[in-house]
Amino acid sequence: MISHRARPLVRGLPFFLCGICLSFGEAPFQFADILVAGILLFLSLFVFSFLVFHKNGWLNYRYRWVIGVVVFSTLLLLGVFIGMLSDHRISRHHFTHHNQQAILVRMEESVVQKGKSFRTVGRILAMATQDTWKPATGKILIYFPAEKKITLPEIGDRLLVTTPISILPLMQNPGQFDFTAWLERKQIYASVYLKENGWYQLPDIECKDWDYRLSSFRNKLMNSFYQAGLRGNNAGVVAALVMGDDTDVDADLMHAFSASGTLHILSVSGMHVALVYSVIAAFLGLLFRHKKYRWWKLTLILISLWSYAILTGCSPAVQRAAAMLSLVVTGKTISRITDTWNLLAGSLFILVGLQPQLLFESGFQLSYAAVAGIVGFYPWLYQRVTPSGRVGDLIWKSVCVAMSAQLFTFPLGLYYFHQFPNYFLPANLLIIPISTVVMFGGIGLLISSPVTPLFDLLAGPVRFLAQLLSQTVFLFEELPHAQLTGIWVSRLECLLLTTSIILATFFLVRRRNQYLFYTILVLSVFIFSQIVKYYVQSDRILCIQWKLPEKMEVISVVYGNRSVTWSNVPLHQRAQQTIHDGLDALTVSIQYRSFTSNTA
């Protein structure tokens, strides 16, 4: 068994991730900033090489902790340097550095309907400045008007856009999802609402590229689901389970999954890929039992994983999950003495190093948090009870997996969704088996689509189970006290809760009192921060002018934990919900009063 001291990747990972986080600022980096970071990184690597390879043997020196300081500093600087290089705005050709009159855009994503308009993402190829076309880089959010007469472009199409583009607006209301920050982490810094005669689709004179072929392939897969009689949410759920694409799942069902504590079924495709891997590994384990066939087994597992990824259209979530599992399986095959923590840390190093923006995606964070909970807490919890019989053992394993994943993901759930599902345990025990059967049924539909009799035979059960899954999720949402809502925590509070859970797990697993001391210390800091926040907020007086559509003039006055709201017109349900969420974010515990006033 590997000692926790022999986990260099785990010990160095926090410094690398901190460097990535430090590099993501609001202002774009200048070339001088990157040059300074590069020089510091080079000097750090030079000092490390000198200490390691010096003839006097500095590694055996009694002050060898200096090596640790140099290594961790190098990882921190490496994270900062990689994060800086990932910012597209460092290019002098980025569109934000120029005043463009027109832009040439290539469609990067499929067009999806959002409200009364259609939305997609385009990559800028060139821009016109003062009657001269220049090469340009950058991504932009594109909105098309919802008119039936418009033929929407596809991935790979080129558009000439003459409509002026606008910088993304800042978040306007308290408690509102910061859509602008979310887009900026995806390197999208502007948007354009296309008007009539403000854009032209250029004739297709080039061969369609890989993205277009993948999109067409995914559309064919969706057509297979439609041919099986799946519609609406049922088709959306099957597509989410099989392909990791929840675009067709409406807001009500998405909220029901969140309220029942099973949203990870749709948003974290690592579970789906892991289920496919478990079936493949079990089957190949029967065929290749001897160790000398381990390389054949590894090759077939990797081929099967990536074949599944291609079969499902290579969505980003499935690609990440397949990459993580591929790294873990390869590491276990190469090394005789394996450590899952080191392998997970290594996969995180590679994935975040290649795409630093992944670190800030909620699905990516939830995926790794769930895996960390299962790897770290599940063995200890499973050993607490010895169930009798295979059925009892299977049920207890499912309970342990659900509780371990929920324990490590609930701080992130509070931070992103501001709620806690009270029935997450029975919901997971019931919904996960149904969703697993639906997922494999959906895969069966895709494989059997050329064979009509077999396809028709599978279509009926898959339709029934997809409908049963949706109804079960709605049932848990409608149960009394299904969730605790209005829980708002800051990033620091989320970090403190996560740290306390990790330390408490160390205490339970390793039985060292120092971890209990550290757990109590971190929880004390968390409680102290809550007390300070309460006293600071008890003295506050705020005046909020809400930004709402339809020319509504709404003002709220917050004093302490109370508020009063004036509006010039009666508020509809959506406006009331916006104000209610915003006041919840400000921890206003007394329900606000809303009434119409001519002087608002």
Side-chain angles (χ1 to χ4, degrees):
M1 183 175 179
I2 293 180
S3 169
H4 69 280
R5 295 183 180 275
R7 292 170 176 165
L9 295 179
V10 176
R11 298 168 68 186
L13 181 63
F15 297 91
F16 177 71
L17 298 183
C18 285
I20 295 289
C21 293
L22 291 174
S23 66
F24 276 78
E26 295 182 0
F29 291 102
Q30 303 297 324
F31 178 76
D33 301 326
I34 301 175
L35 181 61
V36 170
I39 292 174
L40 291 176
L41 177 61
F42 174 78
L43 292 176
S44 181
L45 289 171
F46 177 78
V47 172
F48 173 75
S49 302
F50 175 79
L51 293 176
V52 171
F53 299 108
H54 194 271
K55 62 181 180 179
N56 292 333
W58 283 91
L59 278 177
N60 298 322
Y61 190 61
R62 62 175 178 172
Y63 296 116
R64 59 185 179 275
W65 57 267
V66 176
I67 295 289
V69 172
V70 174
V71 170
F72 294 146
S73 301
T74 302
L75 289 174
L76 181 70
L77 291 171
L78 179 63
V80 172
F81 188 68
I82 290 177
M84 285 182 171
L85 290 180
S86 69
D87 191 342
H88 295 172
R89 292 174 294 180
I90 64 175
S91 171
R92 62 187 179 89
H93 297 298
H94 199 268
F95 73 95
T96 54
H97 303 320
H98 306 274
N99 295 322
Q100 62 279 347
Q101 299 173 350
I103 54 176
L104 178 63
V105 181
R106 176 191 177 277
M107 299 287 290
E108 287 284 300
E109 297 180 4
S110 299
V111 179
V112 295
Q113 186 169 5
K114 295 293 182 181
K116 297 181 179 180
S117 59
F118 294 90
R119 191 179 76 194
T120 187
V121 175
R123 181 176 298 277
I124 298 178
L125 304 177
M127 59 185 174
T129 58
Q130 298 179 351
D131 299 329
T132 302
W133 282 93
K134 298 180 180 179
T137 61
K139 294 193 292 186
I140 188 172
L141 197 65
I142 302 174
Y143 289 91
F144 294 92
E147 299 179 7
K148 295 183 179 179
K149 63 180 181 179
I150 294 179
T151 301
L152 296 174
E154 300 177 339
I155 291 181
D157 289 341
R158 269 67 171 174
L159 307 180
L160 177 61
V161 177
T162 57
T163 304
I165 65 176
S166 56
I167 302 299
L168 296 173
L170 299 177
M171 185 176 66
Q172 298 177 330
N173 296 320
Q176 182 180 0
F177 172 67
D178 198 343
F179 186 58
T180 298
W182 181 76
L183 288 175
E184 289 180 348
R185 286 193 290 268
K186 293 179 175 292
Q187 305 286 354
I188 301 173
Y189 301 100
S191 62
V192 58
Y193 290 80
L194 299 180
K195 300 179 181 179
E196 187 177 0
N197 299 327
W199 64 283
Y200 307 92
Q201 183 171 342
L202 301 181
D204 186 14
I205 58 176
E206 298 181 6
C207 296
K208 295 296 186 180
D209 57 9
W210 174 250
D211 290 337
Y212 173 80
R213 297 178 190 277
L214 271 182
S215 177
S216 301
F217 184 59
R218 289 170 64 84
N219 291 335
K220 291 180 180 179
L221 298 181
M222 286 301 301
N223 288 333
S224 298
F225 296 147
Y226 296 145
Q227 291 174 5
L230 294 167
R231 296 290 184 272
N233 277 329
N234 293 337
V237 166
V238 176
L241 292 174
V242 175
M243 301 189 295
D245 183 7
D246 58 6
T247 304
D248 292 335
V249 181
D250 65 23
D252 293 335
L253 183 56
M254 192 70 73
H255 182 271
F257 271 102
S258 176
S260 62
T262 56
L263 184 62
H264 59 89
I265 292 176
L266 299 181
S267 60
V268 185
S269 294
M271 185 192 73
H272 315 140
V273 180
L275 286 172
V276 175
Y277 161 73
S278 63
V279 173
I280 296 171
F283 176 73
L284 293 178
L286 297 175
L287 297 178
F288 305 102
R289 294 185 178 183
H290 200 277
K291 290 184 178 180
K292 67 179 182 180
Y293 297 116
R294 67 182 187 275
W295 294 107
W296 285 102
K297 183 179 177 181
L298 172 64
T299 303
L300 292 176
I301 287 177
L302 294 180
I303 292 175
S304 301
L305 281 178
W306 288 101
S307 297
Y308 168 73
I310 295 174
L311 176 67
T312 57
C314 270
S315 66
V318 173
Q319 288 183 49
R320 292 197 300 267
M324 182 178 70
L325 268 176
S326 299
L327 292 170
V328 171
V329 174
T330 303
K332 286 188 174 183
T333 303
I334 293 175
S335 177
R336 293 181 180 179
I337 303 177
T338 60
D339 182 75
T340 306
W341 287 112
N342 255 338
L343 294 176
L344 285 175
S347 68
L348 193 54
F349 261 114
I350 295 175
L351 292 177
V352 175
L354 294 176
Q355 292 180 288
Q357 294 81 9
L358 289 179
L359 184 60
F360 304 98
E361 292 189 8
S362 59
F364 186 76
Q365 296 172 6
L366 289 168
S367 179
Y368 268 94
V371 172
I374 294 171
V375 172
F377 190 69
Y378 168 80
W380 178 88
L381 184 61
Y382 176 71
Q383 295 172 2
R384 299 308 99 190
V385 176
T386 304
S388 59
R390 292 185 177 181
V391 176
D393 183 66
L394 180 61
I395 294 175
W396 177 235
K397 283 182 178 179
S398 302
V399 170
C400 293
V401 169
M403 293 185 66
S404 302
Q406 188 66 38
L407 177 65
F408 273 66
T409 57
F410 101 89
L412 290 172
L414 296 183
Y415 177 70
Y416 285 112
F417 308 114
H418 321 296
Q419 62 186 15
F420 182 80
N422 294 325
Y423 300 115
F424 75 91
L425 186 56
N428 277 274
L429 291 178
L430 188 58
I431 293 173
I432 286 181
I434 300 175
S435 65
T436 302
V437 177
V438 172
M439 184 192 71
F440 283 109
I443 296 174
L445 287 176
L446 299 181
I447 296 175
S448 63
S449 57
V451 185
T452 304
L454 182 58
F455 181 82
D456 295 337
L457 183 63
L458 287 174
V462 172
R463 286 197 306 268
F464 171 77
L465 290 173
Q467 183 65 29
L468 177 63
L469 178 61
S470 299
Q471 292 177 350
T472 305
V473 172
F474 281 122
L475 175 64
F476 276 100
E477 182 193 27
E478 294 169 359
L479 290 176
H481 309 293
Q483 54 184 333
L484 299 175
T485 58
I487 306 175
W488 293 77
V489 297
S490 64
R491 292 181 183 178
L492 176 61
E493 292 166 344
C494 178
L495 181 61
L496 290 174
L497 283 175
T498 304
T499 304
S500 64
I501 291 172
I502 294 173
L503 292 173
T505 302
F506 283 162
F507 168 70
L508 294 173
V509 174
R510 296 177 180 169
R511 298 181 181 180
R512 295 185 181 179
N513 292 333
Q514 59 181 353
Y515 292 119
L516 179 60
F517 170 76
Y518 294 144
T519 303
I520 296 174
L521 180 63
V522 173
L523 287 177
S524 300
V525 174
F526 175 79
I527 295 173
F528 178 74
S529 69
Q530 296 292 308
I531 295 174
V532 171
K533 185 168 68 173
Y534 174 79
Y535 279 104
V536 169
Q537 292 175 347
S538 63
D539 258 351
R540 66 184 172 184
I541 298 178
L542 302 174
C543 182
I544 305 171
Q545 185 173 0
W546 300 92
K547 304 296 183 182
L548 299 172
E550 301 176 6
K551 298 182 179 180
M552 294 181 180
E553 296 182 6
V554 184
I555 297 176
S556 292
V557 176
V558 176
Y559 46 101
N561 64 343
R562 300 171 180 266
S563 70
V564 179
T565 301
W566 289 269
S567 61
N568 64 335
V569 294
L571 299 178
H572 51 69
Q573 184 177 1
R574 185 175 179 181
Q576 290 185 20
Q577 188 64 42
T578 299
I579 297 173
H580 180 72
D581 291 343
L583 294 175
D584 267 352
L586 297 172
T587 62
V588 176
S589 57
I590 306 300
Q591 291 292 329
Y592 69 95
R593 293 176 293 157
S594 178
F595 54 91
T596 303
S597 171
N598 293 328
T599 60

